[in-house]
Amino acid sequence: MFSDISVHRLCFFQDGYIDMKKMPMVFPSKIKKYPEVRSTYDDINIHAITINDGKEEKTYPLKQPREVCLHMMDLPGFTVNRPVPEDLSYACLYQAWTYVALLTHKLLLPSYTKIFTGELGSLERKQIESLLFQLIQPYASLCSIYSAQYGGLSNQENPTYLSEKIQDLCDDKGQPIPIELLGKGMIADNHTFVRFPPFLACKAHSHSRVDRNIVRIPDMSLESKFYEPYSEKMDILIVNGSPMKSLPSNLFNIFENLQVLTILNVDLKQTPEFPSGISRCNDLEIVCLSGLPGVKKMPKDILRAPALSTFYLHNCPIRKLDIEWPASMTLTSLSLKGLLIQEVPKEIAKLSELNELNLDCNPILTLPDELEHLKKLKHLSAKGIPWIAFEGKFDQMPKSIYETWHAENPYIINYLSEKEVEDLFDKFDENNNNILDPTEVAKLNFEFLTTIPRIGVKKLGDSQYGGVPPVIFKLKGLESLDLSYTAINCIPDFASELFTLQTLNLEHCPFLESVSGNVGLLPNLRSLHLNSCAMLDSPPPDIVGRGFDSVRAFLKKMAGGFTECHRTKLMFIGLGQAGKTTLLQALKSPTKKTQGTQDAKLTDGIEIKPWVVPVQDMFEITYSCWDFAGQTVYYNTHQFFLSKQAVYMLLWNMRMGFEHAGLDFWLSSVACHCPNAPVVVVGTQLDQIPMPDIPEKELMKKYPQIKKFCYVSSTAGTNIAELEETLIEVTMTHCSQMKLKIPKVWLNFEESILVERKRGKNILEWGKLKQYAIDNGIYDEKDIRLAVQFLDDLGTVQYFDTEVLRDRVVINPQWIVDVMAKVVSVNEKYIKESKGRFFHKFISEIWKDYEPSLHEWMLKLTERFDLTFPLPKSGEAVNVVPCLLPEEEPEDLPWPKIEEEEGIRESKIQYKFTYLPTGLFNRAQARLFSQGFTDTKLLEFLWKKGSILKKNNHYALVKQISDYEMIVTVQGPRPKNILDLIHETISTLIKDSFTGVDYDFYIPCPDCVEKERTKDPFLFKAELISRAHSVNAPFLQCTKYFHTVSIGELLSNMPDNRDTEFDVQIQESIGTLQEIRTNMAQDVVILYNPEDIPSKDKEGQIVDPRQIHEDLKKVGFNCWFSEDMDNTTELEIAVAIMNSKVLVICMSEKFTSYPKCRQMFLYAIEQLNKPFAVAVMDESQEWQQTDVGFKIGNPRMAMIKSVKRYEKKMEDLIDIIKNLLLDIEKNTMSNPAVFISYCWANSHEACSVTTQAKEGSLGFGDPRAIKKHIEKAGLPCWLDIEQMGKFGIYQDITIGLQNSKVLVICVSDEYLQSEACMMEARFGGYNLHLPMVVCVVGTGKDWKTSEIALMIQKLGDGATVVKMQRETPGSYDRVLEHVKNFLKRPETEKQKKMREKLAKVQQKQEKTMKEELEKSLKQQGDTKFSFQEEIELIQRKFMRHISKITRADDLENELPKLMVFDFVKKGKYCKTCNVCLCF
């Protein structure tokens, strides 16, 4: 089409990589700097600017959307040296943009002295532009038409390195193309291209997009010579992270046509006052200035731009805004964040059109009353300067994290100074270990809270407005309000005036005590954030923890009237015969003593009694007293009733002595279940023994929950009255519920329930309870559940919100205590005599006092509490009660010895507890059995402190080996899978029910297991591994066999316990799934029409697809064949085809008429490119005329046709399949001679598609471009994205390196930080002694003093360096030259020995391949179960990670709407294994 043409270059620029199918890429820096600014496009027009200020992302539409600037470069045309290929002209998406722009936009000629070779006469610029448009328009139209031959513009792609390919077309022998790389320095020449990766542009548009995350210009300037004449239509100026010291005073003369101005993170030390003259910019709509430490003053006219709608001024040391505030301006969004202003200018009230006002992170004390005139204000944010919040993301703060936090949140440094902030760390680092623990951080935060001014800090006693600026309640149009990190103490009733309010953020307000109930009545409220408000009583913390709906329901009821709740539980705990029942009687007695209970019956379980105590004639405290039985057998039930909202009275019999009183046991138990509940330790029998010597201070230090030690005699009445006073004091001081204000309707609801209890009712159905709630004015289902949960906390009811149990509510807690006690009772013979077996046939006897209709529900209740678990229904129905199992371990425990040749491995995890709570181990047993870890043959080997479990082909021995230790040992093909599943169960149980327990676990050294094959490997402590990882330690050493194990390997072997290394864990699981899937792959999938199966009368007369299947199996092929094709779903067939290597088609006349097979065949060859073999079943050839026949073409086929030809032609089919498999194997095992090791962050191509670039990671050289350049010379290269996924990530890399002859290392700072990259370099350099071509990419310099530099020195002439950080002519060719030279070299002696060694290893591997094939059928079963185990594990990890995210942050508005579907084929669920068989 084109001949004798020249190439003229356009400057057609948008800030982002232009692709019709992708949004512009955003490159984050290592430390996030806000705000971030980017343009949003509508077709090829800029229609909006998006600004992310670190809190939220907002998009601001431009009033006058600008066309993308399109102009000619002032350069002569360049001739081409060969025909222009289609993919660089009209069949190219990028060029398509150009053609569309040429057709729809005016072509500008800011300068044209070199464009035209002839005389232009008297033609003016506008005339020339018009004539040029008429000339180019037909050409552009033709290109659009021709593109239709290649599928139309929407189906085109962008060729990689488009600019370079076009440049290659040009004949540069006579005149070189002038190109400068952006980043080398400012360019003033009008006739030079500037390379702005990944394209070229003029100097103005290149300089106007200087983002430090993409490129850094050392001498960046905004002087006019670097922009004119191309700046005339420059509408966006973005400068981010530039080292500029000053701005030109005539800034707005140079860029008077700007529509968006953004200057971020620039020093500007020589510009104390920002330039004036902004009023000249008639089109300027958005200004964003942030991180300008040199700017201390704004010019008077900074808001005078006529069209200005959005103004951001962030993080600048400006103490006063002495500027003009024009009343007529159109400003709608004003953000003054992180300044040093202490008074908000009252003149802001003149901005009548203001919609958004952000005053975050300023040291302000209040807001001016004049703001009430902002009638259109919808969004107000006055967040205080933040302090350090853990937010559940880390447990402690090393100095490096402290510095990073302040770099991301510079507002404290702005106010105090960097030196003072650094000194504060040292001041509060009391341990001098360069780490702040939570207590030290709390003290530091209090310093920040009290020394930095914030709203409310001067009005802590304000009961009228609660420290909230009164003007806020006059802004009746507000939709969102943020007062987080302030010192307000309450949200008053005035909040009812904010009728349109939708979002209220009060997070991190440490003095906030209450929120008015009127807030719950706001009709539009959708979000209320109350996290981390330490003094908040109304709503109470447990209500806050349940989310917005619960908080709103509580507040709504509070608005209808409330009362203070002086009620709590009083828990009497201690060993048997400690005097708990006697003391309670004495406390309740008017004489404060009792006769004693020497002949009384022992407490059986728990007894619950009320006790009302008057407090100084002001009010009464109602205690619900729970008297816990002290016998050991009941400890397993006690844990379910230890309440967080309670006071604990721990009794001990002083006659037994302190050492035998069990105080440590009970204190640890309370600490595990209720870590914040107050405890009073009471010594009894004072009348019989003198005052004991007990280490009170040591105990209080060890157990901070202890509030008081008391010593009494219940029979003599000694100190009983004093104990009562102590109890009242502790209750009022340490029980937050004493100050709790609750809705009156809740108490009315409770009264209705208590009436039913007095009538003898113990349990109510949910429907009836719901009706009582409605009768008392609680109508909404969520409100009812909230009220029921509150009554559960008080001890009035017991409610279990699970699918099985939620249909009933226990209204008499004593009833449920008795139900549980009946199961574990010392008086219950049926279960004890059956060695912990709870046979269902005895239910009617054990629970004879209860309604038979409730028995099944009660049994489910014991299972819900992990008190029992059901055994598989193989005979008589029975549940097991773990705490009543035999104490002794069975003598003949069937734990098999491992034989190496069996392919069975053994591994273990050991748990060590500071205190192992009673019941934890037995509950873990119950949960494991309920999750499918069971085998009826092993049930006889259950005992109280251990069990043998089985899941699929794995055995697990779980034992409690002491009062502080548990150990789990697993044998099987993949023991880590089962260990992870068991660990997940145990750790989840601890998180759910034993929150205060302190423990760690230990994992075996992988080298001890794999290399030494020892059953007693060295155990690494998990906490040590995590700590080593946090400080970037490369490895740890096993002290038993002195193995050196990398932290990465240990992390991949460590269960996901601490919610931290999720990425590592999930990648490992995905890799394992890929490996298992490879093992599960079939050689052949056979497709056939079921109508081709011969009937009985025609068997032996026509070719039978089933016979083909049998004969292929006999040869040794692993085949997938459906016996019932009609009932096999397309999904099952598709999965089989995906996991197969070759497709076999049993072709007949009927095959093409069978939709299922026809669709699956087309799917296999069109979507999967699956190789196939055709077995022709009959004489008909009509199938060749169908679309299936057209797709098949004319390959070699097995023309069976008839039974007579079957045997001969079956050999042809087998031969065809073998050849196809051989071709696949050859392609899989291809071994390129050049291995390219690189980090994705250094590749322009990778960063334009998936990877996010890092600051300074992109230089001139691109590793993927190096690969393409080498392959142009006919040298195949190993590159990860093309070679991975064959055998598993590490094995793929190992094989690639072992078979390569030259290693090309693209070194950079990012490469050095990547453990995987450094592993490749070490293995290739140290182990294989490969010659290395070191290409220096990126922009950093750390490589010069790194391990790579030492490696280069060690290799001597076996290594060479090519610097590619800046554009250097011929650098790619030099890389190729070095590679060729190294390939020509003969192998060194070291390399030869290594090759021989590897050859022997390969021979050994090939020898074992046949043995492995013989085990393939067995492995199919193993891998199937392993796949199920890995899927189950990855689901648990995923859900744990999601739970962690939702726990750590209130993500109501930020959490993506994630929907997970688990497709299960009906009827394919295996009840025995409790797993889905369709995956």
Side-chain angles (χ1 to χ4, degrees), residues 305-335:
L308 188 64
S309 62
T310 301
F311 184 81
Y312 273 65
L313 181 59
H314 287 193
N315 198 20
C316 299
I318 296 175
R319 298 184 179 276
K320 189 175 181 180
L321 286 172
D322 185 15
I323 61 176
E324 297 174 356
W325 301 86
S328 60
M329 69 177 305
T330 58
L331 193 68
T332 59
S333 179
L334 176 62
S335 184

Side-chain angles (χ1 to χ4, degrees), residues 746 749-750 753 786-797:
W746 286 8
F749 177 39
E750 182 189 35
I753 293 173
L786 184 62
V788 169
Q789 187 61 56
F790 170 76
L791 296 179
D792 184 288
D793 291 339
L794 283 183
T796 304
V797 303

